[in-house]
Each structure stands twice: as structure tokens, then as C-alpha cells.
Amino acid sequence: MDLLNTLVDKGLRRELPTRGEALAVLATSDDDLLDVVAAAGKVRRQWFGRRVKLNYLVNLKSGLCPEDCSYCSQRLGSKAEILKYTWLKPDEASQAAAAGVAGGAKRVCLVASGRGPTDRDVDRVARTIAAVKEQNEGVEVCACLGLLSDGQAERLRGAGADAYNHNLNTSEATYADITRTHTYADRVDTVRKAHAAGLSACSGLIAGMGESDEDLVDVVFSLRELDPDSVPVNFLIPFDGTPLAKEWNLTPQRCLRILAMVRFVCPDVEVRIAGGREVHLRSMQPLALHLANSIFLGDYLTSEGQAGKADLDMIADAGFEVEGTEQATLPRHRADAAGCGSHAARTGGGCGSHEESGGCGPCGSAGSEPAVASGPPVETAPAEARTDLVSVRRRGAGTDLAPNA
């Protein structure tokens, strides 16, 4: 297929596909799915080999969030029967993190629901970061605390945080349909603040909220412009008690096409399969490892994932290896570039502006729009509502039960 050959060549050169090419990936038929996975897999192996980075979530406080994000079980007015608890103490969070590190995770993600941290919250998280790093030598710590105020990213960096996560989630055009208590621009601003402070920026999306192919391409192209080091791809978990509880729009094949598109647009970035992979990819999870080079181990914030040992067995059975703490996740050119400061914040733009501004080196640029072969519309069967696979987390942080790792 000419399209896939073109995308592989561009991915190996770190060149941005056109919007038409990205849309064409999402429009490929199920008959071509293995070809799509194989093509994107070549790009993944070029930059990340057969390594899989493991990440582990610690939900520092759960529920009672004042924001109204429609996809979230912790949202204002949520009737989802999730765990609700206030801030974990630093030693409690460190013990929870240790379980994930023992299971092979090299990054611990400390997450707290809410609009954004107060200065007191930042102090609390700083103590937690210190406790996690003291107990777990070599572990990376990513904080995810909501919208950041001026100076807070620098304080987190000074406390030892390595990264900051704040997802764009969906396209700018549809953002107000999902969330009304803050804006898309607020989210972009926080990612830029993290980048400018020298934190490794982590920002991704949620698929399956009823968005169009154009929306998916828009948000991934926006992420490419922001130039995060890691892009988590979440698949909506339709929790009972949330406004999107009836949104079952994803098939395993659709998920794989989305991951392939993200890999082609962000060829040398850590692409992480995040929440919802067990619900929507199901038995096709091993194929997704040919597209993404990073996953979460064990459970998520408010839902349970498959057993940690099953994750490790899946990686080994698929012919991949767990990335060690001594191994660099990012390709050399990205790691070197990260040492000279924030890309997007410094240049005022994304990858295409590096070279013009005297930055660390180009990440590729968009070429002219080629003709993309068109065919009949893809007929996609309605997704099955697998409510049996949505399991509320009842173990780990905030409980007396052992975590899943």
C-alpha cells in the first residue's frame, strides 16, 4: 500500500505526515489492519526497539473533584461508586509506589483530582516525591495535579519531579462539549508551563467519546506541536454514573488504528497505552505493543486493570522486553534536545520551528499533501457494550488491600 510505505519513510525520518495521510490511516479497512500494524511497528522499532516501559499510577486522593469533565468518574456530580478519600500521607504513597516498582515499573505517576494544586498541595506533593525517591532508587516521578499556576512547575521540578502530565484529551473544536469548567487553552498553558520549567512534558488524549476522525487527528497534531516527550492514549472507560456511560464507540480494530496514527504522527515519542486497554483492546492487546512502547502496569486511578503478572507475561509472550531503569526511554536526539530547555515554550511553536529558532535540531516538518487512495466507506460494526469489563478499583491506594502490580 503506497500510503503505508510513505508513512514508514516519513516516520523513519521523523517527518510529519499530512492530515490527509493521518485521516487515511483511521479509514483503512479491517482487511488492511495487520498491514497498518506492521508498518507502524517498523517506526516503533526504529526508535524504541522491542522495549516496553512500565508506568505505575498512585491516586493520591480520589473523587470529589470540582471540575465537570464528562469522561471522569471523579467529576463534579459523578454517581460512579468509586473510592473516595483525601490525600495519602507521603509514606502511604511511597508504599503504594514501591509495589509498582517491584513489579518492574520505572516511572511512578502521582495523580490528584482537582482543578489544580494550591501552594500547600505542592508542598505536600514535594514531600511525597522525596519519600518515593528515597525508597525507590532510580525511579522516575511524574506528577499530575491539574492546572498549574505560575511558579508551581518550577517548585515541582525543584522537589525532584521528572515529568508532568496534563492531557489535552480531545480537539479544541469539541473541548467545550466535554468540559465547561475550564478551557482547552488552560490545558495547553499548563503543558507549556511544565515544559518551560524543564519537566518532561506528558500529554495525550482520550478516544471513544463520540469524536470524529477529524477530531482525533486535530488533537494528535496539536500534541505534536506542543512536543511532549510522552503521549498517553486513553480509551474511554464508560463508567455508570457519568454522562458518557453509554458511549461504546470503540472496537479493538479501531483502537489499533488510532494507536498507529499516533505513532506515525509522533514517531520518536513515548506512546503509552493508558486507561481502557483491557476494556476495548481485550485479546488484541499484544498487537498494540507493536505500536506503543509504554503501558501502565496493574490498576488505574478508579478502575482495575488486568493482573500485573498478566501484563508481564503478555510482554514476554509477544517477544518484547521490559525496559530497565538503566535504559534511556527516548532516542538520543530527543534526550539531547531536552537538555537545552523547553522546545515549544522557547520557540513559541512546535517541532517545525526548532531549526528556525536555533534550537536543538529539527523534529521534521509537514510536506506537501499527496493524493491518498480513496475507497468505499469503512463499515464498522457497532461496538459491544462490555460493561462486565468495567471494574471499579477496590484495592491498593486508599484501601487496606494489597495493590495490583
Side-chain angles (χ1 to χ4, degrees):
M1 186 185 292
D2 290 343
L3 168 69
L4 297 179
N5 291 335
T6 297
L7 288 169
V8 170
D9 288 344
K10 286 188 173 185
L12 299 182
R13 297 195 305 266
R14 294 183 287 136
E15 183 179 337
L16 182 65
T18 65
R19 285 183 54 85
E21 289 165 345
L23 286 166
V25 172
L26 297 178
T28 52
S29 71
D30 289 350
D31 288 343
D32 293 324
L33 182 63
L34 289 180
D35 292 332
V36 173
V37 171
K42 291 179 182 178
V43 178
R44 181 248 200 265
R45 289 192 299 277
Q46 166 73 16
W47 302 115
F48 299 97
R50 302 191 72 84
R51 304 187 313 278
V52 177
K53 180 176 181 178
L54 298 182
N55 309 267
Y56 191 70
L57 284 164
V58 177
N59 202 3
L60 296 179
K61 67 187 188 78
S62 184
L64 308 177
C65 181
E67 301 298 286
D68 71 348
C69 306
S70 299
Y71 51 81
C72 185
S73 60
Q74 303 183 77
R75 72 186 298 272
L76 178 69
S78 170
K79 294 180 173 57
E81 297 180 356
I82 61 169
L83 292 170
K84 295 181 177 68
Y85 54 87
T86 190
W87 289 92
L88 298 180
K89 296 178 181 177
D91 62 326
E92 293 173 328
S94 180
Q95 290 173 13
V101 174
K106 68 180 289 186
R107 172 173 286 191
V108 170
C109 304
L110 302 175
V111 187
S113 61
R115 179 177 179 83
T118 64
D119 287 341
R120 182 182 178 187
D121 293 337
V122 173
D123 290 340
R124 189 197 317 266
V125 174
R127 293 192 296 272
T128 300
I129 293 169
V132 169
K133 290 210 162 190
E134 181 179 357
Q135 185 172 343
N136 304 283
E137 184 178 356
V139 71
E140 300 173 6
V141 173
C142 178
C144 178
L145 311 173
L147 302 172
L148 293 175
S149 301
D150 289 345
Q152 291 183 329
E154 287 78 6
R155 291 175 60 195
L156 289 167
R157 176 65 173 153
D162 300 284
Y164 194 83
N165 167 260
H166 199 61
N167 295 330
L168 297 188
N169 290 329
T170 192
S171 69
E172 183 174 12
T174 59
Y175 196 82
D177 297 333
I178 299 299
T179 302
R180 293 187 179 275
T181 47
H182 61 267
T183 67
Y184 180 89
D186 291 333
R187 286 190 170 265
V188 170
D189 178 65
T190 285
V191 177
R192 287 180 172 157
K193 280 185 168 73
H195 226 161
L199 292 164
S200 176
C202 172
S203 188
L205 64 141
I206 304 173
M209 297 190 290
E211 70 283 336
S212 67
D213 285 1
E214 288 77 10
D215 291 321
L216 285 171
V217 170
D218 281 349
V219 68
V220 177
F221 270 60
S222 295
L223 289 166
R224 168 79 184 228
E225 289 178 6
L226 283 174
D227 197 22
D229 289 324
S230 55
V231 174
V233 180
N234 295 276
F235 301 111
L236 176 71
I237 301 176
F239 277 96
D240 280 340
T242 64
L244 299 183
K246 297 187 183 303
E247 293 287 341
W248 289 87
N249 304 305
L250 297 171
T251 63
Q253 294 81 5
R254 171 80 168 164
C255 294
L256 290 171
R257 282 191 284 267
I258 292 168
L259 287 167
M261 185 269 287
V262 174
R263 174 55 70 199
F264 286 130
V265 176
C266 303
D268 59 343
V269 167
E270 176 190 344
V271 176
R272 183 179 312 142
I273 317 172
R277 65 178 165 91
E278 298 89 345
V279 177
H280 297 293
L281 279 162
R282 302 191 288 275
S283 62
M284 295 180 77
Q285 289 181 68
L287 272 182
L289 296 177
H290 292 273
L291 308 170
N293 62 295
S294 181
I295 67 170
F296 280 109
L297 175 72
D299 293 336
Y300 303 96
L301 297 176
T302 61
S303 65
E304 294 186 353
Q306 67 185 20
K309 185 178 184 304
D311 289 337
L312 299 177
D313 289 344
M314 176 182 70
I315 291 168
D317 290 347
F320 293 87
E321 63 181 22
V322 173
E323 184 175 289
T325 55
E326 75 287 351
Q327 295 174 294
T329 298
L330 296 175
R332 177 71 178 271
H333 64 271
R334 285 196 68 90
D336 288 347
C340 74
S342 164
H343 295 227
R346 185 183 67 253
T347 63
C351 294
S353 58
H354 290 195
E355 203 165 25
E356 297 170 7
S357 66
C360 300
C363 291
S365 57
S368 60
E369 189 88 17
V372 177
S374 61
V378 178
E379 296 294 334
T380 303
E384 180 185 358
R386 291 297 305 273
T387 56
D388 59 306
L389 295 178
V390 179
S391 179
V392 173
R393 181 173 68 84
R394 300 297 184 200
R395 58 195 175 195
T399 77
D400 295 328
L401 299 178
N404 170 29

